[in-house]
């Protein structure tokens, strides 16, 4: 990679860090996505990204990729997030940078994690390194919007997702005794896209009525990657034991008002539902380091989150169907950020304007 003379070199190399970092989406949480680039005399001699939670960080991969290690003493390290300074699953990256005597470090944004939060920058500077921060900072924060939101608001980054008909319904009216199953609105290709989205988030949430009416699996069988943590809100434990979300095939949390228990990988967590306050749910998810959740229904859950400003992003499909009557889709007042189509379906992504971590 050579420098494009029409742009500042720092921005070019930081942009490359972001290109590398995004490869970690769906694999590194609850860690952030990080890419690193090592430059010597204007040319890239090493690069890497954080590939898997619990494994080496981006800086380690970048340093190890340099074919002539002696050049590190004359090079600049670019990284989109402040190097860590604490012992976690792996040793501190700041210590490795010092050990390799890299003289200059260019950082996109400080790390909001209280275990770091400027300490990495401070350690590097105290040891005589040239450290520059704030390069493409807005873009760097946007890339890790899940991570920044999690630490700023002490809750997961919440993505609402639903499909609605052209006339604005998310389902028909279900009568007692009717067959259980999903009234599909979107196309099979759109559903593949949703499974990709599921693979990118740590958790997937649904309420009692949605599970009872549709009997969903809430997995990623149409995509490759890790299944998300299933998060079910079932106050009175009405979901039958033979339903898909109860099959013990993936980790599942069932928030309820009756018991705390564990059955295989299914865990029951008792909370107080009396005042319809879901803050205990998000407190538990924060404690468990769940940085992002895809919320797939139903209407009551979506409307609660919208009303209480507990959402960061909404992804809404509009299928090529008409129901004429049924359950009205939620209404959301957000910033339209992206629109596209999958076959006959259209989908839009809305952003909560109060979330400051978007570009």
């Amino acid at each position: 990679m050579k420098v494009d003379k029409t742009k500042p070199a720092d921005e070019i190399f930081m942009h490359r860090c972001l290109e590398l970092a995004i490869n970690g989406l769906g694999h590194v949480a609850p860690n952030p996505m990080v890419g690193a680039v090592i430059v010597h005399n204007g040319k890239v001699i090493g690069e890497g990204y954080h590939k898997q939670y619990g494994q080496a960080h981006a800086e380690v991969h970048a340093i190890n990729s340099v074919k002539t290690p002696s050049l590190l003493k004359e090079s600049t390290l670019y990284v989109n997030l402040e190097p860590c300074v604490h012992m976690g699953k792996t040793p501190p990256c700041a210590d490795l940078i010092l050990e390799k005597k890299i003289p200059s470090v260019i950082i996109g944004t400080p790390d909001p994690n209280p275990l770091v939060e400027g300490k990495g920058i401070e350690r590097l500077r105290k040891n005589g390194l040239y450290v520059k921060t704030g390069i493409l900072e807005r873009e760097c924060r946007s890339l890790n919007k899940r991570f920044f939101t999690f630490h700023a608001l002490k809750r997961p980054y919440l993505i609402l997702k639903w499909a609605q008909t052209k006339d604005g319904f998310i389902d028909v009216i279900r009568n007692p005794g009717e067959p259980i199953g999903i009234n599909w609105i979107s196309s099979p290709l759109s559903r593949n896209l949703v499974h990709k989205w599921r693979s990118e988030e740590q958790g997937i949430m649904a309420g009692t009525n949605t599970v009872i009416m549709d009997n969903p699996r809430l997995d990623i069988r149409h995509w490759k990657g890790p299944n998300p943590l299933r998060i079910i809100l079932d106050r009175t434990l009405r979901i039958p034991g033979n339903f898909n979300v109860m099959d013990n095939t993936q980790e599942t949390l069932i928030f309820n008002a009756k018991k705390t228990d564990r059955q295989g990988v299914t865990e029951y967590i008792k909370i107080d539902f009396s005042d319809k306050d879901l803050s205990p749910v998000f407190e538990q998810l924060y404690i468990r380091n769940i940085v992002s959740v895809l919320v797939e229904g139903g209407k009551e859950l979506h409307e609660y989150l919208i009303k209480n400003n507990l959402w960061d992003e909404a992804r809404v499909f509009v299928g090529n169907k008409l129901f004429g009557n049924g359950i009205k889709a939620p209404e959301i007042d957000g910033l339209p950020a992206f629109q596209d189509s999958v076959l006959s379906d259209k989908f839009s992504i809305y952003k909560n304007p109060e979330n400051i971590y978007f570009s």
Side-chain angles (χ1 to χ4, degrees):
M1 175 181 173
K2 293 185 179 180
V3 175
D4 180 352
K5 299 295 185 180
T6 65
K7 295 182 179 179
D10 285 351
E11 291 189 8
I12 293 167
F13 295 128
M14 190 59 66
H15 187 266
R16 178 56 180 162
C17 290
L18 296 174
E19 289 180 334
L20 292 164
I22 194 66
N23 291 312
L25 180 61
H27 301 285
V28 301
N31 284 352
M33 293 174 281
V34 182
V37 173
I38 298 173
V39 178
H40 180 265
N41 289 339
K43 293 185 178 180
V44 173
I45 62 170
E47 59 182 28
Y49 67 93
H50 187 26
K51 299 179 180 180
Q52 188 72 45
Y53 175 67
Q55 297 182 11
H57 289 185
E59 298 93 325
V60 177
H61 285 299
I63 288 170
N64 289 342
S65 74
V66 175
K67 294 181 179 179
T68 309
S70 60
L71 295 180
L72 290 170
K73 297 178 182 179
E74 305 167 359
S75 299
T76 298
L77 169 68
Y78 289 82
V79 63
N80 59 287
L81 193 74
E82 174 183 6
C84 63
V85 72
H86 64 291
M87 177 65 74
K89 297 283 186 180
T90 60
C93 291
D95 289 354
L96 178 64
I97 294 168
L98 294 174
E99 176 189 329
K100 298 299 181 180
K101 296 182 168 55
I102 299 172
S104 301
V105 180
I106 310 299
I107 298 169
T109 179
D111 189 329
N113 186 338
L115 295 173
V116 186
E117 208 170 21
K119 300 180 184 71
I121 294 171
E122 181 183 12
R123 180 175 296 184
L124 296 177
R125 284 177 172 160
K126 280 189 174 181
N127 281 274
L129 275 69
Y130 172 76
V131 179
K132 185 177 180 181
T133 64
I135 305 302
L136 297 185
E137 183 167 6
R138 189 179 181 88
E139 291 86 344
C140 292
R141 287 160 68 95
S142 178
L143 174 77
N144 279 309
K145 58 195 176 186
R146 298 165 178 82
F147 185 72
F148 277 87
T149 299
F150 176 79
H151 285 289
L153 302 181
K154 305 294 187 292
R155 65 158 173 80
Y157 183 89
L158 297 173
I159 303 170
L160 312 184
K161 194 281 298 181
W162 69 82
Q164 64 186 59
T165 60
K166 291 173 70 174
D167 51 353
F169 297 100
I170 60 173
D171 201 356
V172 297
I173 301 296
R174 308 285 188 102
N175 296 314
E178 288 188 358
I180 294 169
I182 300 172
N183 288 310
W184 292 112
I185 295 172
S186 57
S187 69
L189 193 57
S190 293
R191 299 198 284 272
N192 286 349
L193 176 59
V194 170
H195 282 232
K196 176 182 182 294
W197 289 346
R198 289 177 178 180
S199 75
E200 295 170 349
E201 312 308 331
Q202 272 187 287
I204 181 168
M205 180 181 287
T208 310
N209 289 336
T210 295
V211 174
I212 289 178
M213 294 295 184
D214 296 345
N215 192 18
R217 298 185 195 179
L218 303 181
D219 60 13
I220 60 161
R221 60 194 178 279
H222 298 313
W223 200 260
K224 292 181 64 176
N227 277 318
L229 169 72
R230 293 188 294 212
I231 303 160
I232 310 300
L233 308 182
D234 187 14
R235 182 172 62 88
T236 59
L237 297 179
R238 291 194 290 126
I239 299 172
N242 62 345
F243 270 40
N244 290 323
V245 297
M246 311 296 287
D247 63 8
N248 261 320
T249 60
Q250 68 196 71
E251 287 190 75
T252 304
L253 300 181
I254 299 179
F255 288 92
N256 69 96
K258 292 190 172 184
K259 67 177 182 178
T260 295
D261 191 16
R262 177 181 285 276
Q263 298 174 10
V265 295
T266 300
E267 183 177 355
Y268 293 81
I269 302 173
K270 183 179 178 180
I271 64 170
D272 183 3
F273 279 90
S274 59
D275 57 359
K276 295 187 177 181
D277 177 15
L278 295 184
S279 58
V281 173
F282 298 117
E283 289 168 5
Q284 277 290 324
L285 297 179
Y286 177 75
I287 291 170
R288 293 163 186 260
N289 279 328
I290 305 301
V291 302
S292 66
V293 173
L294 184 66
V295 183
E296 294 213 17
K299 177 182 172 69
E300 185 178 348
L301 176 57
H302 278 143
E303 290 184 341
Y304 169 87
L305 297 175
I306 293 168
K307 178 182 177 181
N308 290 279
N309 200 32
L310 288 169
W311 69 282
D312 301 292
E313 191 173 325
R315 302 176 183 180
V316 181
F317 283 92
V318 178
N320 195 30
K321 287 187 176 181
L322 297 169
F323 281 174
N325 192 15
I327 299 174
K328 290 290 291 183
E331 295 182 4
I332 195 161
D333 184 18
L335 297 174
F338 182 79
Q339 290 185 327
D340 205 344
S341 60
V342 182
L343 295 180
S344 61
D345 301 337
K346 296 179 180 179
F347 74 88
S348 300
I349 295 179
Y350 300 90
K351 297 176 180 179
N352 187 333
E354 294 191 22
N355 188 313
I356 63 173
Y357 301 117
F358 290 112
S359 61

